[in-house]
Amino acid sequence: MKKLRVAVIGTGFIGPVHAEAVRRNPDLAELTAIAGSSEEAAGEAAARLNVPFYSGDYRDVITREDVDLVHICTPNYLHYPMVRDCLENGKHVLCEKPLAMNSKEARDLVRTAEEKQLKAAVNYNLRYYPMIQEIKSRNSNSPYGRIFALQGSYLQDWLLHETDYSWRMESKLSGKTRAVADIGTHWMDLAQYVTGLKIEKVLAQFGRMFETRRKSAGGRDHTFDRGDAKNPSDYTSYPVDTEDHAQILLSFEGGVQGNLTVSQVSAGYKNFMEYRQMGRDVSYSWNSEAPNRIKIGHRDRANEILMKDPGLLHSRAASMSAYPGGHQEGYGDTLKFILRDFYSDVLGRSVEGGVSDYPTLRDGLAEMLLCEAIIKSAETGEWMEVGV
């Protein structure tokens, strides 16, 4: 059977994660090429990951005849030109979020993909936890009107210190919003996906821990160094123009209310996303630090804890439970299953557990429109309608 020949562009944290997920779908794809920011970076990654071809120029990869589909795993400002180049070269593409720097760029990518009749996805992979799929399946069997409120948070602490640095700190590389675009969009995509309800209006407030931060003048990121290496002598100051944390009120269609806290400076929270759904009959809650269970809340009988067990889940959720009950699955597995869905659709194959519903470029555009409304709300202090 035909397999997709896949290339990954980007050798930082997320690029190798994608490469591993490609290889966890051996019946659908094989990894044939990798590109990095330099020949040296690409060569080191290719050797470590055992990839046959590498280059410091991504164009060398996307023009190859033995590449059918490309993963974009680079800083945000490169997403739009790279996705567009892939589409212009006839390649299917999966892009890390956010899809682009603004909705104008995102609209152009949607239009280009549709004109070229190519498949394209955005990596909102957190949809693919099996217990999130279980909540979605349960919602699908109940009237949406019975949900009245959604609450949640996405909390991290990796930028808590004044000397913590990432390219994401600089708006010219990451965009006008940082914490919201980087992690908040994951929660908003998940909430809309699970409930089927669109966010119509937002009211947002942004906050910064430091107006000025310090980074190594030598260009090295010392954020995760320990000991003496954490205190280099060559720091230089720079102004911060993106948010460290945000509070957002959300108005969903049908009068459903919501609120979201987003933070990259919350001590002790390494990568914590929580989703809570309130309904007139039942509530559901889930968090990413205990991803293999959901709490089901009742008024007139004891609450329940449902543990991940494919024998107890709806078919779609069970299809994303690769191991028996009691065997834990996590973040890396979400990448495996979003690729299973996307690759199957590209190849025209049926998807186990139901219809493929991976996040498309239109979902990426929707998140860009949300970010723009949130930015404007934070600037004006007023409710803003989300564009269409």
Side-chain angles (χ1 to χ4, degrees):
M1 296 178 70
K2 176 179 170 58
K3 291 185 182 182
L4 293 170
R5 297 163 297 180
V6 176
V8 172
I9 301 175
T11 60
F13 157 67
I14 200 65
V17 176
H18 279 245
E20 176 188 354
V22 174
R23 286 179 166 151
R24 294 184 68 191
N25 286 279
D27 57 327
L28 299 172
E30 59 181 335
L31 187 61
T32 60
I34 193 165
S37 58
S38 68
E39 201 75 12
E40 180 182 13
E44 289 177 354
R48 186 172 68 253
L49 299 169
N50 193 26
V51 182
F53 177 84
Y54 69 88
S55 176
D57 186 340
Y58 78 95
R59 285 171 284 264
D60 293 339
V61 164
I62 66 174
T63 54
R64 290 180 65 85
E65 291 185 0
D66 64 347
V67 171
D68 304 307
L69 187 150
V70 180
H71 290 231
I72 306 298
C73 306
T74 59
N76 300 353
Y77 77 102
L78 294 171
H79 291 180
Y80 169 71
M82 287 184 170
V83 172
R84 203 175 201 294
D85 283 351
C86 288
L87 296 172
E88 292 292 348
N89 280 275
K91 310 300 184 186
H92 306 287
V93 62
L94 184 145
C95 183
E96 267 298 331
K97 47 76 200 158
L99 175 58
M101 295 286 271
N102 54 62
S103 62
K104 181 180 178 181
E105 292 180 347
R107 286 187 197 279
D108 182 59
L109 295 178
V110 170
R111 182 172 57 253
T112 302
E114 291 176 352
E115 288 175 353
K116 300 284 186 181
Q117 296 184 314
L118 292 165
K119 303 289 186 179
V122 182
N123 191 39
Y124 288 113
N125 58 296
L126 302 189
R127 295 182 179 191
Y128 282 81
Y129 282 105
M131 302 313 287
I132 288 296
Q133 292 286 332
E134 178 65 14
I135 297 173
K136 178 176 172 58
S137 293
R138 288 170 177 244
N139 285 339
S140 297
N141 294 326
S142 301
Y144 287 143
R146 303 199 73 85
I147 298 171
F148 66 84
L150 300 168
Q151 297 178 333
S153 60
Y154 202 140
L155 309 177
Q156 299 174 332
D157 71 356
W158 68 293
L159 295 174
L160 179 63
H161 301 306
E162 183 190 13
T163 52
D164 291 333
Y165 177 75
S166 162
W167 58 264
R168 297 182 184 279
M169 302 298 296
E170 303 191 40
S171 60
K172 64 182 180 182
L173 304 179
S174 65
K176 292 183 179 180
T177 167
R178 176 180 16 109
V180 170
D182 186 23
I183 56 178
T185 54
H186 266 302
W187 189 95
M188 291 186 288
D189 174 79
L190 185 149
Q192 293 179 103
Y193 171 73
V194 166
T195 63
L197 301 169
K198 297 300 181 185
I199 299 170
E200 296 181 328
K201 293 190 296 182
V202 296
L203 177 63
Q205 184 176 27
F206 285 177
R208 280 195 285 268
M209 183 73 74
F210 304 100
E211 294 298 322
T212 301
R213 286 178 177 259
R214 293 185 296 153
K215 64 177 179 178
S216 170
R220 183 162 174 242
D221 179 1
H222 293 276
T223 298
F224 298 107
D225 286 350
R226 296 184 178 184
D228 294 339
K230 188 70 175 175
N231 300 295
S233 60
D234 64 344
Y235 279 143
T236 182
S237 296
Y238 66 97
V240 179
D241 59 357
T242 54
E243 79 283 359
D244 288 321
H245 56 93
Q247 301 288 341
I248 310 169
L249 294 179
L250 306 162
S251 178
F252 292 79
E253 62 184 313
V256 175
Q257 300 175 349
N259 63 74
L260 171 64
T261 298
V262 179
S263 174
Q264 294 178 317
V265 291
S266 294
Y269 291 94
K270 303 308 175 186
N271 192 59
F272 177 84
M273 182 168 74
E274 185 172 31
Y275 173 82
R276 295 188 298 276
Q277 173 185 309
M278 271 66 71
R280 279 181 277 174
D281 301 311
V282 66
S283 67
Y284 297 109
S285 62
W286 170 93
N287 78 74
S288 62
E289 291 187 357
N292 291 283
R293 66 182 187 183
I294 54 175
K295 179 180 177 181
I296 306 169
H298 302 286
R299 168 67 170 84
D300 298 313
R301 58 189 175 91
N303 294 336
E304 302 171 73
I305 299 294
L306 176 62
M307 303 298 294
K308 187 214 67 147
D309 181 339
L312 301 176
L313 305 181
H314 286 78
S315 60
R316 180 71 167 152
S319 77
M320 295 173 199
S321 303
Y323 309 113
H327 296 76
Q328 304 303 299
E329 295 173 78
Y331 177 83
D333 300 283
T334 67
L335 266 293
K336 170 187 174 181
F337 286 113
I338 189 175
L339 296 194
R340 184 194 69 175
D341 260 19
F342 182 44
Y343 291 172
S344 295
D345 188 44
V346 173
L347 291 167
R349 299 185 192 175
S350 60
V351 177
E352 184 181 353
V355 178
S356 175
D357 59 357
Y358 59 85
T360 67
L361 295 196
R362 288 197 172 274
D363 294 300
L365 169 59
E367 294 301 318
M368 292 308 308
L369 291 168
L370 263 170
C371 285
E372 290 175 352
I374 288 168
I375 292 168
K376 193 170 183 180
S377 176
E379 291 172 346
T380 64
E382 299 176 354
W383 280 94
M384 287 293 158
E385 291 189 2
V386 179
V388 295

